[in-house]
Amino acid sequence: MRRKVTLVSVVTTLVLGFWFVPGLWEARQADAQQLGTVEIGQVAPDDAEELARAAAPTLSPEEMEGLQMRKLQLREQLIGVSEAVVGPDAMPMVAGTPTRLTLGDQVQFPGNPATLVVGRNSRNTNANNPAKGSTLAEPAAANNALRVFAAGNFNHAEVSNDGGATWADVPLPAGPAAAPNLCCDHDVVIDDASRITFHSALYVNSTLSTGAVRIFVRRIPPAANCSYSVEGPVANKLPDYPHLGLSKRFLYLSTNNVGSAGGFARMTRFNLDQMENCVAATFTTFSQPFATFGQRVWVPGEGANNIETMRWGQRDNATTFRIFSWSEAAAAPTQVTRAIATSSAVDPDCRGGVGNFDFIRTIDTSLAGFGLRTTSAPGANGGPGVYAAYWMVGVDAAHTQGHVHAAIFDLASLALIAQPPIFNSAICFGFPMVTANKRGDIGMSLAAGGRAGGGGTAAQGYVGVDDEFTTGIGFFATVALTATGTHNRSDNRYGDYFTIHAYEPCEKWFSATNYGRLNGTALANINSRYVEFGRNVALQCYRAHAQQLPQQ
């Protein structure tokens, strides 16, 4: 049973949409660059009327697209200063072994245990909903056996009770009065102990000067048992880029706070038991101002749902990786830095598909970290496990295409042990999303397409696994196509809200999302996929649950 965590405090002051304890303490270390502020408090569930409100205000597709573009511009205003940080001399760069692109297999057990098997690859047709969908699809999902809850841009949510074969629309309520519009940036996770699903979404006002994040608690999707309005609304602060994560006892929310009252990265952890029971929940925040390193965005590391430490990372500069470790017993996270091989933040040429448009931009490869994801993988490699980080980079002396860099650390000591790139001389790779299963295997959902000089394919979705059947540590020998695409947007945007989690309840497999634009660039051409996949060695585990609805 999960042990409850109690913070002994008296709550009296309202700040940033949370109830804070008066005063705060700073997590100071010898290195002045490790400054961060910690605050504690409590947040109550929204009134029941919040969930009963009418649907979020209906904006036209053009108005929603305008909101998205202005939000991107807020991010990009800070990108230039994020690159102006000098790091130590780089470690040697190694070209590595190229990753092959394949089609997924569907084979019979026992067969070859190393075969990468795609169990389901279902199209999410609600992503094509003309009142709610976007050509910047950014799909998110989590499953509990046959039941899948999913969401995506602009403001669609849906549930499937047959593994994604069919979908039922889930209406979402309006936001707080100061931020009524459900904009975008959905994330979905599931607590594998309780089988409760958490869904976060960003709400904004029409000028993007104010925003708030709402976290929905869904014990049996699609019903929302309660919700919590967090990170706002506060005038002139937009809590951009919200992402969710889990450790044993806490739910984590990261935000990239921009606007005239923003300018900081924040990680907040909530008491998980309290949120699942829809009661007032204690929380702790850790914030780092952009003044320290420039704009840096954080995302909770995957794979921590069964351990007692949440980790996440950032690139301080081109050759320094910073790891944050927040033990459940600690009031604030600790930090270490590790020297890594240099990473290029240049904008790669990844043009392809009909019209020959690019799909990777400078903001994706920048030090800010929009293209960086990490996972803890306990027990991987026959030892204590690894902490693995992957991020998008541009062309460099060893690689002729835009690709993905990796840094693999020992989970106990956080010593660097491998740096396997994901690349191919004929195609660009980008947007890596990673997690770990209970065996310590690392699963990935990513995009590939385009090539330097143009004439490549459009961006398409792929999945892969790193485990005992792949050479080295953290290396993906092959990735399987799951979301075919023929077109890219003309503005080079692709999106960065894929998800991947351990498949529930057979946590030896994975469930993931990705997408492509198939036979056109209109909303009807969005090919949004929900995918279940893993190695053939664990196929029987997957099959034991793949046709079952969870018990109520």
Side-chain angles (χ1 to χ4, degrees), residues 120 142-149 159-167 190 195 219-222 503-506 530 532 542-552:
R120 285 194 179 94
N143 87 292
N144 185 5
L146 268 175
R147 181 171 291 129
V148 186
F149 182 84
V159 67
S160 174
N161 287 316
D162 50 19
T166 60
W167 299 90
I190 185 170
R195 307 289 183 216
R219 296 174 191 152
I220 304 175
Y503 176 87
E504 297 298 340
C506 175
Y530 166 74
E532 298 170 354
Y542 167 70
R543 284 178 170 171
H545 304 282
Q547 303 301 325
Q548 296 178 347
L549 280 172
Q551 293 184 356
Q552 303 300 315

Side-chain angles (χ1 to χ4, degrees), residues 105-153:
D105 291 310
Q106 294 188 9
V107 298
Q108 298 296 313
F109 184 85
N112 182 353
T115 301
L116 180 61
V117 181
V118 175
R120 285 194 179 94
N121 184 1
S122 302
R123 184 167 182 168
N124 184 344
T125 52
N126 203 37
N128 307 105
N129 187 324
K132 300 182 177 184
S134 169
T135 60
L136 190 72
E138 297 192 325
N143 87 292
N144 185 5
L146 268 175
R147 181 171 291 129
V148 186
F149 182 84
N153 284 343

Side-chain angles (χ1 to χ4, degrees), residues 330-356:
T334 59
Q335 307 171 39
V336 298
T337 58
R338 298 291 185 255
I340 56 174
T342 190
S343 290
S344 167
V346 301
D347 183 6
D349 179 7
C350 295
R351 288 174 293 153
V354 177
N356 205 34

Side-chain angles (χ1 to χ4, degrees), residues 482-548:
T482 55
T484 55
T486 56
H487 291 65
N488 291 330
R489 282 173 55 133
S490 60
D491 61 1
N492 303 353
R493 296 187 67 195
Y494 184 63
D496 44 27
Y497 268 83
F498 295 171
T499 54
I500 182 168
H501 307 297
Y503 176 87
E504 297 298 340
C506 175
E507 295 156 1
K508 299 175 183 178
W509 263 44
F510 300 94
S511 66
T513 59
N514 48 42
Y515 83 105
R517 299 183 182 93
L518 185 61
N519 300 324
T521 58
L523 181 59
N525 302 108
I526 289 298
N527 183 21
S528 181
R529 313 303 297 193
Y530 166 74
V531 185
E532 298 170 354
F533 70 101
R535 292 291 188 196
N536 192 45
V537 68
L539 182 62
Q540 292 298 79
C541 173
Y542 167 70
R543 284 178 170 171
H545 304 282
Q547 303 301 325
Q548 296 178 347

Side-chain angles (χ1 to χ4, degrees), residues 39-301:
E39 298 171 302
I40 62 174
Q42 191 176 72
V43 60
D46 296 326
D47 292 336
E49 295 179 358
E50 293 283 344
L51 290 177
R53 279 188 182 182
T58 301
L59 301 180
S60 70
E62 293 76 18
E63 290 173 321
M64 291 298 294
E65 182 71 20
L67 281 177
Q68 286 275 45
M69 292 302 296
R70 294 200 304 276
K71 188 161 70 70
L72 177 67
Q73 290 167 3
L74 287 174
R75 296 178 184 175
E76 290 180 324
Q77 289 171 4
L78 300 165
I79 290 300
V81 297
S82 75
E83 306 303 327
V85 184
V86 178
D89 292 338
M91 299 180 67
M93 180 184 296
V94 178
T97 303
T99 295
R100 295 186 299 108
L101 290 81
T102 68
L103 300 176
D105 291 310
Q106 294 188 9
V107 298
Q108 298 296 313
F109 184 85
N112 182 353
T115 301
L116 180 61
V117 181
V118 175
R120 285 194 179 94
N121 184 1
S122 302
R123 184 167 182 168
N124 184 344
T125 52
N126 203 37
N128 307 105
N129 187 324
K132 300 182 177 184
S134 169
T135 60
L136 190 72
E138 297 192 325
N143 87 292
N144 185 5
L146 268 175
R147 181 171 291 129
V148 186
F149 182 84
N153 284 343
F154 293 117
N155 54 12
H156 67 84
E158 49 278 336
V159 67
S160 174
N161 287 316
D162 50 19
T166 60
W167 299 90
D169 183 66
V170 177
L172 297 172
N181 302 304
L182 177 48
C183 162
C184 46
D185 291 7
H186 299 263
D187 204 2
V188 182
V189 298
I190 185 170
D191 176 12
D192 64 317
S194 66
R195 307 289 183 216
I196 292 176
T197 299
F198 294 91
H199 163 218
S200 64
L202 175 62
Y203 287 80
V204 300
N205 65 352
S206 60
T207 62
L208 276 185
S209 63
T210 301
V213 179
R214 177 165 285 165
I215 300 174
F216 297 91
V217 180
R218 304 181 188 276
R219 296 174 191 152
I220 304 175
N225 298 89
C226 64
S227 66
Y228 294 81
S229 293
V230 298
E231 279 299 336
V234 171
N236 300 316
K237 186 176 80 71
L238 182 69
D240 182 38
Y241 210 63
H243 282 278
L244 296 173
L246 289 163
S247 64
K248 270 190 175 182
R249 301 173 179 88
F250 292 98
L251 175 75
Y252 296 77
L253 171 72
S254 63
T255 51
N256 170 53
N257 295 271
V258 296
S260 59
F264 56 91
R266 171 172 284 170
M267 187 70 68
T268 302
R269 72 180 190 187
F270 302 88
N271 182 295
L272 183 58
D273 285 336
Q274 291 169 347
M275 292 195 82
E276 290 182 342
N277 284 289
C278 291
V279 298
T282 55
F283 68 85
T284 308
T285 71
F286 176 73
S287 303
Q288 174 183 280
F290 290 166
T292 306
F293 297 100
Q295 184 187 30
R296 294 295 184 271
V297 302
W298 294 341
V299 175

